[in-house]
């Protein structure tokens, strides 16, 4: 195997690998996956190697840096596979392992062109294009070969953008080996709910229970049929109103994407009741503060309906983010890809812990008095928020 190891070391060390495929298992039942692809990708400015393990019904990805990728390739070739194709710009290498374990490396002229990973390369999505993905196919975003349908490209990008935002918060989830409990309020047709389930289970190999809740019974029934077709046993949908939902004792993550007006606040209140570790919320059509906003200095912005409406949305989301900070969360506002081409494309991402809540209290009190507003979220939170709205001298 020495020449195989040497080849692997060289192509990773010199960063010349374009892609690779390992196939033909030595023992058919040694591992559950049947094939492994590998390709370099750039994540956060650094080169990693994405290994895709092809199981009968799913593909699981693992990203490894150089040395770890070398070890993984060595391990896979030494223990599991008989055949490896490694493509570089200089040559195609074929590795063949005999039944007795002796290895041959054949070198052939290159058939693939190197790509500039940092500049010209197509964006590498969490759910890549041209790779079959059962839920994307079932929802009509991709065909069976993984090609994204032309009229679903926005949806494809939105799904991947959402998953990027999820990827950043996964390390903050403290489910301690228990299945991760997630609720998606106002899930609607649930493209993103299915994506979340796929990402956490098939890509990250986590145990989850996801519940989607929506007012619309027909949509809920339809989503349950799809979940059943896909064999997503821990993904359920129920009909109901967020405000009345009392079903779960502990939720680690609350999702609420484009839930209308104060339905977003209802979702945030539930998340606070559960003390959820992570909240992902994309508010929608916020009319709540529209009639309340007033400050003489802001008159030039208040007198134009369209500007006032946008202003009101921004003030509403700022209030929500600030209240979450007061309640002990670190919040970020990120740009989400909206399906409707509206200005309502902000995602509030809140992760438990880490914020100076006293600073947030002062900001909130000043902001409220500037705008002369009584936010709905404050009213509904009542005493829970009020007891924190105290500026402590000397802190
Ligand atoms: C614009 S859709 C968004 C669907 C999905 N979350 C998405 O982002 O693609 C909003 C959904 O929220 C649901 N909804 C609104 N108010 C609700 C409430 N109080 N309780 C439950 N669902 C609600 C609606 O029925 C609708 O399906």
């Amino acid at each position: 195997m020495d020449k195989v190891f040497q080849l692997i070391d060289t192509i990773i060390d010199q960063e010349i690998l374009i892609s690779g495929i390992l196939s033909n298992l030595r023992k058919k039942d040694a591992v559950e996956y049947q094939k492994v692809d590998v390709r370099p990708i750039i994540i956060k400015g650094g080169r990693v190697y994405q290994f895709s393990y092809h199981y009968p019904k799913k593909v699981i990805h693992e990203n490894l840096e150089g040395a770890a990728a070398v070890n993984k390739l060595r391990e896979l070739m030494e223990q599991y596979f008989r055949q490896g194709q490694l493509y570089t710009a200089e040559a195609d290498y074929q590795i063949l392992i005999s039944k007795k374990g002796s290895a041959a490396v054949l070198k052939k002229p290159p058939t693939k062109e190197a790509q500039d990973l940092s500049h010209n390369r197509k964006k590498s999505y969490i759910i890549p294009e041209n790779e079959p993905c059962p839920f994307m196919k079932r929802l009509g975003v991709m065909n069976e070969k993984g090609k994204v349908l032309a009229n679903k490209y926005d949806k494809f990008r939105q799904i991947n953008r959402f998953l990027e935002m999820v990827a950043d918060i996964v390390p903050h989830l403290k489910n301690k080996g228990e299945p991760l409990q997630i609720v998606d309020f106002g899930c609607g047709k649930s493209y993103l709910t299915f994506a979340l389930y796929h990402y956490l289970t098939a890509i990250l190999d986590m145990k989850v229970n996801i519940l989607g809740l929506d007012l619309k019974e027909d949509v809920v029934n339809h989503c349950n049929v799809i979940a059943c077709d896909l064999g997503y046993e821990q993904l359920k949908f129920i009909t109901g109103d967020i405000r009345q939902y009392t079903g779960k004792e502990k939720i680690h993550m609350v999702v609420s994407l484009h839930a209308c007006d104060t339905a977003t606040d209802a979702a945030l209140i539930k998340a606070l009741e559960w003390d959820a570790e992570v909240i992902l919320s994309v508010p929608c059509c916020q009319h709540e503060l529209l009639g309340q906003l007033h400050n003489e200095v802001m008159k030039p912005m208040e007198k134009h309906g369209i500007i006032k409406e946008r202003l009101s949305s921004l003030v509403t989301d700022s209030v929500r983010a600030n209240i979450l900070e007061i309640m002990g969360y670190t919040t970020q506002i990120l740009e989400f890809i909206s399906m409707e081409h509206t200005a309502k494309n902000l995602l509030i991402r809140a992760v438990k812990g880490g914020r100076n809540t006293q600073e947030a209290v002062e900001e909130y009190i000043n902001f409220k008095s500037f705008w002369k507003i009584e936010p709905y979220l404050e009213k509904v939170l009542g005493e829970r928020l009020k007891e924190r709205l105290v500026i402590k001298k000397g802190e």
Side-chain angles (χ1 to χ4, degrees), residues 80-98:
Y80 303 122
F81 291 102
R82 270 186 203 297
Q83 199 167 335
Q85 285 291 146
L86 299 177
Y87 299 98
T88 73
E90 289 128 44
D92 291 356
Y93 295 94
Q94 187 178 24
I95 303 169
L96 296 166
I97 317 273
S98 74

Side-chain angles (χ1 to χ4, degrees), residues 19 70 74 87 99 101 114 134 153 166 189 193 238 242 258 317 330 332 362:
S19 65
V70 165
R74 280 175 166 232
Y87 299 98
K99 282 194 176 144
Y153 226 91
V166 173
K189 289 186 187 156
T193 331
I238 59 168
I242 304 167
H258 307 111
D317 284 345
T330 300
Q332 287 171 290
E362 285 179 34

